[in-house]
Amino acid sequence: KLVVSCQAKNLTLPKGYRNEEDRRSIFARGFYLASSPRQREADTGARMLGFLYASSQGTTQKVSFLGTLADLSRDRIASMKTTLGNILSSESTFSNDGDANIDGSSFPLAHGLVHAVRLCFEHDEIVKGLHGRMDATANSSLNESFIELFCKALQLSLSVVADIRDGEMVDGIDEETLFNVNSKETDSTPLNVNTGAIGANGTFSSVSNTNSEEAKIRLATQRVVVGTWLLTKETCAAIATVLTKTEYQPSHSLVSKVGQLLLSTLTTLKHAGAAFAARDALQQIASGCLHPRNSPDLHALPKEWTSRLIDEISLKEKVRNSTLRRSTGYALGFLAMMRAEVDASKSSAPATSRSVLEQLLILSLPHEEKMNQAFARLQLEADVS
């Protein structure tokens, strides 16, 4: 906002934002901080990169800046995938001098870069800058390239922070599934990672101060778990921002796939903090779908997503062993859909929300046979008394 105010009032920005050499120095420092596992440092680096973007002069420079961020984020996510694949395939070893080769302590992190991209898009929404001046084709291509990148990042993070059975596929961007720990040559593989193998729960329950090697392994594990958890949170927010805050009309198929991926994220996450981020993103996208300017097929997507949630907690063939453990995600999914409908239909009664509440109430009741048995017992006791 400070940069925008200076530009609006024709005030001169500090030298560091005007001199190219100084800008490169700020960029390098921001990139370094954005790669930190400490969230406060990563947030600071993201804001530094956001300031540089906001102070860029002209559409060409802004497009170039976004392209650089996209390339860096893409390379970082690819490095995360390779490193995580090596860790899960038991290729991690400690060398004789005690340094970790690929044990997680050098696990690259991308959540700060994703945050920086989101700040850039939010800046353009505030000033109606870059995307308002780009033609529709270029704008759509830019947005979709980032959405594809974010979906890859989100699916990668799910291999650590999600609770998914072996061989289970992630709904959403189905052509971009996770890596195969037994093969590095294909991206078309199922999500077959046993998330418990990383040991996200109880990682530090028995750390021994005298065992330095064990301490290093556990600290490296913490970097992997926290880094992917933060990536989940930032990626959810970034996807929603790109889909709803920019001046372009996403296709029905793209929004549908992103929505399905966010639903899978909600219903498989192990951590409530990341689940709330997925809820916020899904609600934002659902509200965008229900906007009057959108087509009927987009308007129908929140209802389809609600039906999927209902089916997964009611149909015997879709209920999983982890459904009860992940019940918070289902509740957050229903809340996201109903809140989006309430926001979109302030002048009329939200019919879908009422129907959802009725179905949930019915599902919460005991089986009909048990209900009848209970009523029969109550009637018998009434007759006896």
Side-chain angles (χ1 to χ4, degrees), residues 96 244 269:
N96 295 330
T244 62
L269 281 173

Side-chain angles (χ1 to χ4, degrees), residues 227-247:
T228 50
W229 170 64
L230 290 173
L231 180 61
T232 302
K233 292 180 62 178
E234 290 297 343
T235 304
C236 287
I239 289 178
T241 297
V242 175
L243 273 178
T244 62
K245 296 294 186 181
T246 53
E247 297 181 355

Side-chain angles (χ1 to χ4, degrees), residues 18-34:
R18 292 182 286 112
N19 181 276
E20 282 302 318
E21 185 175 347
D22 291 338
R23 286 176 63 87
R24 285 194 293 269
S25 177
I26 295 175
F27 186 94
R29 185 61 179 170
F31 177 74
Y32 176 80
L33 289 174

Side-chain angles (χ1 to χ4, degrees), residues 190-238:
L191 179 63
N192 57 3
V193 178
N194 180 358
T195 57
I198 288 190
N201 297 322
T203 300
F204 301 98
S205 59
S206 60
V207 175
S208 172
N209 292 330
T210 60
N211 191 332
S212 59
E213 183 171 315
E214 180 185 5
K216 287 181 180 180
I217 294 174
R218 290 176 182 266
L219 288 172
T221 301
Q222 182 194 40
R223 180 182 177 96
V224 174
V225 173
V226 174
T228 50
W229 170 64
L230 290 173
L231 180 61
T232 302
K233 292 180 62 178
E234 290 297 343
T235 304
C236 287

Side-chain angles (χ1 to χ4, degrees), residues 81 84 88 152-171 173-174 176-181 187-195 198 261 264-265 267-269 320:
K81 180 176 178 179
L84 188 57
L88 294 177
K152 288 182 179 180
L154 186 54
Q155 291 179 91
L156 176 66
S157 67
L158 289 180
S159 64
V160 177
V161 297
D163 183 11
I164 302 176
R165 296 177 299 181
D166 288 353
E168 185 174 358
M169 301 295 291
V170 173
D171 291 328
I173 314 299
D174 48 15
E176 292 293 345
T177 48
L178 291 175
F179 56 85
N180 184 344
V181 297
D187 287 332
S188 300
T189 56
L191 179 63
N192 57 3
V193 178
N194 180 358
T195 57
I198 288 190
L261 181 58
S264 292
T265 303
T267 57
T268 59
L269 281 173
R320 304 177 304 164

